[in-house]
Amino acid sequence: MTLVDITAFGADSSGVQDSTPAVVAALEHVRTLSGPVRLVFPRGTYQLYPEHAVEREFYISNTVGADQAHRLKRFAFLVEDLADLTIDGDGSTFRLHGLMGLFAVVRSERVTLRDFAFDTVAPKVVDVTVAETGPAYRVLSIPPGNPYVVDGALSFLGETSPVSGTPYWRYRSDEMWYCQIHDPVAQRTWRGRNPLFTDVAGLTDLGSHRVRVDYSSGEFTDEGLVYQLREPTRDTAAGFIWESAQVTVTNLQAGYLHGFGIVGQLSTDITITGNSFHADRAKGRSTAAFADILQMSGVGGTVTITGNLFDGAHDDPINIHGTYLEVVGVAGAALDLQYMHDETGGFPQFHVGDVVELVDKLTMVGVAQATVTAVDGPTGLDSSKPLTTMTITLDTAVPEVVTPGAYVVENVTYTPSVRIAGNTFRNVPTRGALVTTRRRVVIEDNVFDGMTMASIYVSADAHQWYESGPVRDLVIRRNRFLRPATPVIWFDPTNQVEGEPVHRGVRIEDNDFELTGDGEVLRAKSVGGLVFTGNRVTGGEPAYTFSGCTEVSVE
């Protein structure tokens, strides 16, 4: 293995100078080497700014879709067309500035990122703590890393760019309308209305990142709560894995994931292990991710997620799914397809040789499978072709029953087997883990603490998010569900007509459900072959709800 020292390219481990030019130069040098390479950051602190990062046009699932305002993206580590590379932080800390992602791994294989901490200096989620309340007033505490201005209104700012001399971003408080509420004592987080800037009579900057808000009237009882405020644009991803294979992310201390989490897209064999996704409470912050933490969208091979801490997401910590594209035209063996959700588009969904399944939207049951012989659609790298539609040609004629608007298509080749094990989920406003894949899934030995929605959610959705597909072999065992919202486990496909079960082969065993009152432990729609056995339920009377299910055993 060839060892490459990042400081040989001018990186500053003392944390004073921008090390981004050195990262760009080092990765260019790696291209000239043969055999495995270990790019090492000697232990220290490294500043990473967007101005000198490489810019690329990328389209990322579940973010801004085909929106041209955000087509260009920058990543501190852009790994393109490389193999056998380890980026080794050696325990270093990376401080990210502005609005950029940490890494992109594109058309590469056998890539590992390991052993470093990273954080964004001024996150675009502002965690505002109610430090004091009284008759018709609150005193708000703003994290020291988030600049702000009081000039008749309260505006939050990004840090000032050393190149442009202006803030990277600026939003008035009313533009930061998306709100989550975190209770640091109860260790719970939920979505809710932001009451901080309603009926305001006056604002006073008290200094030391404290702002007094006076109201026309009111008594307040929310002292100590944290209002996590953001403008909702998912402009990029913190990590992007595209058209790559055998990528591992391990032993990272992630303080904040900007834009979106780590996205795997049309890649194979991804491992996320031993990481901590957790905001630095000493900085007055509780948000670790702008949205989801891990999103595997159209991934093949194996997805392994083990031994991680997921604490403080703004959406689901784990979401593993494919994408249903709706049929909008049929001609012989050719199908015209369309992305249906505005957060996903711009990139190819199929390769020649991939196997696809045609699915009836009413029943969510597949009617035929075929192999792709030709693809004409977006490239994922530019806007030279329409970004939300594509045409694929199959190796056989499309069945006559398939009509526009009534059927969707899933790429079966890019559906993974999954293991989610030994993780801890807490301070989550949504679900803990969402999984829809037809290959074997094992969810075991995890702790789900205080989920605000279902701890485990299995859909297959061709009506809203268009996230595919069915499960065929799912084992949920030896997990602890603490203080859960109910239903704790929920199977919720979007079929409008009951008939053949959408999901099959589910075994839920040897789990602990520690309820805080009576409630549904399990809600299942359209599942065939479901076994619930050997589980322990305490703290309330459990309920079980089944709709359109067959071969169910609860014992």
Side-chain angles (χ1 to χ4, degrees):
M1 177 178 287
T2 302
L3 180 66
V4 177
D5 187 330
I6 192 71
T7 61
F9 296 85
D12 177 13
S13 63
S14 70
V16 176
Q17 301 297 322
D18 181 9
S19 291
T20 310
V23 173
V24 174
L27 288 171
E28 282 300 317
H29 174 67
V30 168
R31 292 178 182 278
T32 69
L33 304 176
S34 59
V37 175
R38 182 166 160 246
L39 176 58
V40 178
F41 289 74
R43 185 169 300 184
T45 299
Y46 297 85
Q47 308 291 342
L48 300 168
Y49 286 83
E51 285 82 358
H52 297 109
V54 178
E55 188 174 70
R56 287 284 187 274
E57 184 168 347
F58 287 137
Y59 296 87
I60 302 176
S61 179
N62 292 75
T63 58
V64 290
D67 187 347
Q68 294 297 282
H70 301 286
R71 64 189 178 87
L72 299 177
K73 297 172 174 64
R74 295 175 188 260
F75 294 90
F77 306 123
L78 179 57
V79 178
E80 289 182 299
D81 304 301
L82 291 173
D84 300 302
L85 172 64
T86 297
I87 297 177
D88 186 349
D90 188 35
S92 294
T93 297
F94 300 144
R95 292 171 56 81
L96 276 65
H97 301 261
L99 303 177
M100 71 171 177
L102 174 67
F103 71 87
V105 178
V106 179
R107 299 182 303 276
S108 298
E109 57 186 12
R110 298 182 298 280
V111 174
T112 297
L113 297 98
R114 64 177 304 138
D115 298 331
F116 58 83
F118 70 93
D119 205 349
T120 296
V121 172
K124 210 175 76 166
V125 178
V126 182
D127 297 328
V128 179
T129 301
V130 179
E132 180 184 329
T133 61
Y137 82 90
R138 292 182 177 99
V139 175
L140 309 180
S141 176
I142 299 169
N146 286 109
Y148 66 93
V149 173
V150 177
D151 54 1
L154 175 60
S155 295
F156 299 106
L157 290 69
E159 61 184 309
T160 298
S161 164
V163 175
S164 69
T166 59
Y168 286 110
W169 55 270
R170 176 172 180 153
Y171 294 102
R172 296 186 316 273
S173 57
D174 62 302
E175 295 174 302
M176 306 276 281
W177 58 266
Y178 186 96
C179 178
Q180 290 186 175
I181 304 164
H182 170 60
D183 185 335
V185 176
Q187 286 291 287
R188 283 189 180 274
T189 303
W190 62 95
R191 292 172 172 172
R193 184 183 66 85
N194 173 15
L196 301 180
F197 307 108
T198 300
D199 196 27
V200 173
L203 294 164
T204 306
D205 188 350
L206 303 177
S208 300
H209 276 250
R210 292 164 67 90
V211 174
R212 177 177 170 125
V213 184
D214 289 290
Y215 303 90
S216 300
S217 61
E219 294 286 342
F220 308 110
T221 59
D222 55 356
E223 185 171 329
L225 294 185
V226 181
Y227 292 88
Q228 303 169 340
L229 310 178
R230 65 176 167 93
E231 180 277 337
T233 305
R234 301 173 171 183
D235 59 336
T236 187
F240 180 42
I241 304 166
W242 182 42
E243 298 280 13
S244 295
Q246 298 179 52
V247 178
T248 299
V249 178
T250 181
N251 199 26
L252 305 192
Q253 308 296 311
Y256 176 74
L257 302 171
H258 169 66
F260 202 59
I262 297 172
V263 178
Q265 181 172 294
L266 261 69
S267 295
T268 60
D269 300 321
I270 295 175
T271 299
I272 312 289
T273 184
N275 305 286
S276 175
F277 301 95
H278 174 73
D280 187 346
R281 300 300 197 267
K283 297 178 180 178
R285 287 162 44 188
S286 52
T287 296
F290 190 89
D292 295 44
I293 293 179
L294 302 178
Q295 180 101 194
M296 300 291 112
S297 176
V299 172
T302 300
V303 171
T304 304
I305 303 171
T306 57
N308 303 283
L309 169 62
F310 300 104
D311 183 342
H314 263 236
D315 212 323
D316 309 307
I318 298 174
N319 190 353
I320 300 172
H321 62 87
T323 300
Y324 286 127
L325 278 79
E326 187 158 302
V327 175
V328 294
V330 181
L335 286 167
D336 295 326
L337 306 174
Q338 182 173 342
Y339 283 112
M340 297 302 292
H341 197 284
D342 61 8
E343 289 185 351
T344 297
F347 60 92
Q349 194 64 226
F350 309 96
H351 306 105
V352 171
D354 289 350
V355 175
V356 301
E357 184 169 76
L358 285 69
V359 178
D360 184 336
K361 289 179 64 177
L362 283 179
T363 65
M364 295 302 296
V365 172
V367 299
Q369 290 192 356
T371 300
V372 177
T373 61
V375 180
D376 184 18
T379 67
L381 296 169
D382 56 39
S383 54
S384 60
K385 294 187 175 182
L387 297 174
T388 59
T389 58
M390 64 190 69
T391 299
I392 63 173
T393 304
L394 307 179
D395 64 347
T396 185
V398 176
E400 290 185 4
V401 69
V402 176
T403 55
Y407 282 77
V408 290
V409 176
E410 180 186 23
N411 189 333
V412 174
T413 298
Y414 282 85
T415 55
S417 59
V418 176
R419 182 169 183 253
I420 300 172
N423 304 284
T424 298
F425 302 78
R426 66 187 188 213
N427 291 310
V428 173
T430 51
R431 290 71 56 102
L434 291 77
V435 182
T436 47
T437 173
R438 65 190 63 220
R439 306 190 196 280
R440 181 167 174 80
V441 178
V442 178
I443 303 175
E444 62 185 0
D445 301 314
N446 302 284
V447 176
F448 297 87
D449 184 7
M451 300 298 100
T452 305
M453 300 180 189
S455 296
I456 296 174
Y457 183 75
V458 180
S459 183
D461 177 356
H463 286 271
Q464 183 181 8
W465 288 97
Y466 283 78
E467 294 179 352
S468 61
V471 297
R472 291 289 179 261
D473 181 1
L474 169 61
V475 176
I476 301 171
R477 65 189 175 203
R478 299 192 307 271
N479 301 284
R480 292 186 68 196
F481 301 96
L482 312 179
R483 310 180 299 159
T486 56
V488 184
I489 299 173
W490 190 359
F491 294 84
D492 187 31
T494 62
N495 55 307
Q496 307 299 301
V497 175
E498 290 187 355
E500 182 181 341
V502 175
H503 300 300
R504 291 185 177 277
V506 176
R507 188 171 184 88
I508 303 169
E509 61 184 0
D510 197 19
N511 299 282
D512 288 283
F513 298 86
E514 301 181 24
L515 308 181
T516 57
D518 298 347
E520 281 181 286
V521 168
L522 172 63
R523 182 186 299 175
K525 172 187 175 184
S526 195
V527 180
L530 190 160
V531 176
F532 185 96
T533 183
N535 300 286
R536 294 161 296 280
V537 183
T538 60
E541 186 67 27
Y544 308 88
T545 303
F546 303 97
S547 172
C549 296
T550 62
E551 301 173 76
V552 174
S553 172
V554 177
E555 56 187 17

